[in-house]
């Protein structure tokens, strides 16, 4: 039995949100929606910031049962070389994208730290904002990435249930629950300016996951109060391997969870990806959600080779073009923003400002 940090089991950090999540009536949902919309408008106005993922590699050393990139999957493995990365970035830039999230599998000899560092350096020369979603690293490694222009880290705990976590991660470095849980803190200590966290909804009991996720977000906001913290709400999508989640997370619960987070944490970005349907994304934009992915490709090389790229990590649900998605936002009187960050601000956060 591993020793969990005190904040993860501190029910006081999530006490006020639990009743909101356990309610099921339409009246309480409508009331929560009104409160979430008002809180979003007060803090963020009508702005929706946009980003896109760039999959650098599908090599992976771990055996996560729910992932299309797990090391026992039979799809061909590939990583982008420098020339291919540049072509992908230029294709993304042509769509108007200026905020890029670089993704890899867990650390391998084919796509390890040095490979990722070079990709960050290249991306920072082309794009104003670079973030990563990759394997956990040391403080020194995050410091090196920050010095190359990386400003953000996204890392999902997947599930906050330690016993279920062990079952779902069959082998590889990702089996270490605490190593992953402590990753956002190492990144912030190393000078990364913002971290995004989340639970992969459907893996464990949804209310318990939401409560643990809220505690994590509050702990990070309190401890690293000068850094940025965001929360994502990914649900399981079809993927190679055919994993079926143990728990259903329907639209009504997910909407309630997002809006409860907004009323409880009014100042942080809440993120929704193209895992979700167009109808759900349009409905949640400005109703708690303030940051969204756009025109996503979840294959390696998917922006240049959209029709021929290999297996994806998961199936995208919202496959609208950038133009169509932005038009939908504007129809709701929301303003899509492709760039709200300048490369001049990409220096690492000074040590005295991190906490």
């Amino acid at each position: 039995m591993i020793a969990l940090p005190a904040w993860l089991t501190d029910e006081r950090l999530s006490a006020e949100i639990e009743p909101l999540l356990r309610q099921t009536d339409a009246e309480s949902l409508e009331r929560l929606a009104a409160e979430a919309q008002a809180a979003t408008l007060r803090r963020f106005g009508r702005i929706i910031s946009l980003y896109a993922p760039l999959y650098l590699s599908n090599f992976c050393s771990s055996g996560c049962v729910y992932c299309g990139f797990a090391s026992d999957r039979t799809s061909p493995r590939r990583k982008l070389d420098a020339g291919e990365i540049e072509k992908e970035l230029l294709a993304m830039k042509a769509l108007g994208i200026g905020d890029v999230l670089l993704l890899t599998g867990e650390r391998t000899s084919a796509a390890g730290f040095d490979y990722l560092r070079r990709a960050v350096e290249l991306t920072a020369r082309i794009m104003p904002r670079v973030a990563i979603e990759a394997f956990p690293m040391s403080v020194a490694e995050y410091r090196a990435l920050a010095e190359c222009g990386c400003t953000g880290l996204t890392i999902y705990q997947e599930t906050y249930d330690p016993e279920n976590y062990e079952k779902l991660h069959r082998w590889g470095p990702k089996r270490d629950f605490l190593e992953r849980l402590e990753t956002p803190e190492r990144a912030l200590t190393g000078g990364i300016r913002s971290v995004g966290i989340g639970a992969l909804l459907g893996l464990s009991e949804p209310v318990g996951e939401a409560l643990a996720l809220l505690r994590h977000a509050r702990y990070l906001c309190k401890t690293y109060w000068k850094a940025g913290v965001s929360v994502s709400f990914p649900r399981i999508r079809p993927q190679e391997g055919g994993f079926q989640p143990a728990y259903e997370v329907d639209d009504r619960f997910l909407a309630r969870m997002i809006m409860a987070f907004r009323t409880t944490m009014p100042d942080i970005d809440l993120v929704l990806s193209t895992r979700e349907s167009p109808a759900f994304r349009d409905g949640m934009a400005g109703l708690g959600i303030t940051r969204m992915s756009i025109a996503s490709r979840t294959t390696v090389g998917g922006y240049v080779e959209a029709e021929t790229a290999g297996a994806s990590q998961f199936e995208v649900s919202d496959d609208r073009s950038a133009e169509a998605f932005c038009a939908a936002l504007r129809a709701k009187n929301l303003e899509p923003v492709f760039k709200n960050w300048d490369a001049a601000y990409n220096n690492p956060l000074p040590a005295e400002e991190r906490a």
Side-chain angles (χ1 to χ4, degrees):
M1 193 67 157
I2 61 176
L4 299 176
W7 57 262
L8 186 55
T9 56
D10 188 349
E11 296 181 357
R12 295 171 299 177
L13 294 176
S14 57
E16 79 274 35
I17 201 176
E18 185 168 2
L20 300 176
L21 296 173
R22 297 199 182 279
Q23 292 171 334
T24 57
D25 61 292
E27 182 180 350
S28 67
L29 187 62
E30 291 177 6
R31 185 168 58 249
L32 185 59
E35 293 173 2
Q37 186 175 44
T40 304
L41 188 60
R42 281 195 304 270
R43 174 61 179 82
F44 295 92
R46 298 189 178 278
I47 297 297
I48 303 293
S49 63
L50 304 176
Y51 74 98
L54 173 55
Y55 282 76
L56 300 174
S57 165
N58 62 2
F59 285 91
C60 191
S61 56
S62 287
C64 311
V65 300
Y66 50 80
C67 182
F69 289 170
S71 60
D72 61 340
R73 304 297 187 242
T74 58
S75 57
R77 302 290 169 166
R78 179 187 177 190
K79 70 174 182 179
L80 300 178
D81 62 27
E84 290 171 324
I85 293 172
E86 184 171 1
K87 289 179 181 178
E88 289 284 292
L89 291 169
L90 293 176
M92 297 171 77
K93 197 169 186 178
L95 298 174
I97 294 164
D99 188 337
V100 177
L101 179 66
L102 302 177
L103 295 97
T104 71
E106 291 299 295
R107 192 188 302 250
T108 63
S109 58
F113 172 75
D114 289 339
Y115 171 76
L116 182 59
R117 178 179 51 78
R118 289 192 295 270
V120 167
E121 289 176 338
L122 174 57
T123 305
R125 291 198 293 268
I126 297 173
M127 296 291 188
R129 188 168 192 269
V130 186
I132 60 167
E133 183 177 336
F135 43 86
M137 287 170 257
S138 67
V139 171
E141 287 174 324
Y142 284 120
R143 163 59 60 181
L145 292 181
E147 291 172 349
C148 292
C150 180
T151 64
L153 166 74
T154 293
I155 187 159
Y156 302 148
Q157 187 61 26
E158 315 297 14
T159 176
Y160 287 89
D161 180 334
E163 293 184 10
N164 199 26
Y165 186 97
E166 185 174 3
K167 296 174 184 176
L168 293 165
H169 301 92
R170 297 167 293 173
W171 58 76
K174 197 170 175 180
R175 277 180 63 84
D176 191 329
F177 178 88
L178 290 179
E179 167 77 3
R180 194 165 187 87
L181 189 66
E182 294 163 356
T183 296
E185 295 183 71
R186 291 197 302 277
L188 293 173
T189 301
I192 300 295
R193 289 179 172 269
S194 64
V195 295
I197 60 173
L200 189 50
L201 300 171
L203 295 181
S204 297
E205 192 280 315
V207 172
E209 291 289 85
L211 298 178
L213 178 59
L214 180 67
R215 293 168 194 161
H216 196 180
R218 282 188 154 167
Y219 167 74
L220 290 173
C221 286
K222 180 179 180 181
T223 308
Y224 301 90
W225 56 275
K226 289 189 177 181
V229 176
S230 63
V231 174
S232 298
F233 303 87
R235 285 188 285 189
I236 290 284
R237 290 285 297 153
Q239 78 300 131
E240 184 184 350
F243 173 79
Q244 295 296 315
Y247 296 87
E248 180 183 1
V249 180
D250 61 22
D251 287 357
R252 183 175 288 264
F253 178 84
L254 182 56
R256 187 179 288 277
M257 180 179 172
I258 291 168
M259 294 185 297
F261 266 68
R262 172 54 66 218
T263 59
T264 306
M265 300 195 74
D267 295 328
I268 70 171
D269 267 319
L270 301 184
V271 185
L272 201 61
S273 78
T274 52
R275 287 175 180 264
E276 301 304 328
S277 70
F280 188 81
R281 297 224 308 159
D282 291 352
M284 295 309 300
L287 198 63
I289 294 299
T290 54
R291 181 167 167 80
M292 306 177 87
S293 57
I294 186 172
S296 300
R297 302 288 185 269
T298 60
T299 54
V300 179
Y303 292 95
V304 173
E305 308 165 7
E307 302 300 324
T308 59
S312 62
Q313 187 182 31
F314 59 86
E315 289 183 13
V316 166
S317 183
D318 186 352
D319 60 359
R320 288 175 291 181
S321 67
E323 293 83 356
F325 181 66
C326 289
L329 290 180
R330 292 189 179 106
K332 294 189 60 178
N333 198 26
L334 296 170
E335 182 61 32
V337 173
F338 283 93
K339 177 180 179 291
N340 63 355
W341 186 269
D342 194 273
Y345 296 101
N346 283 356
N347 292 326
L349 197 64
E352 63 273 11
E353 294 185 14
R354 284 174 219 149

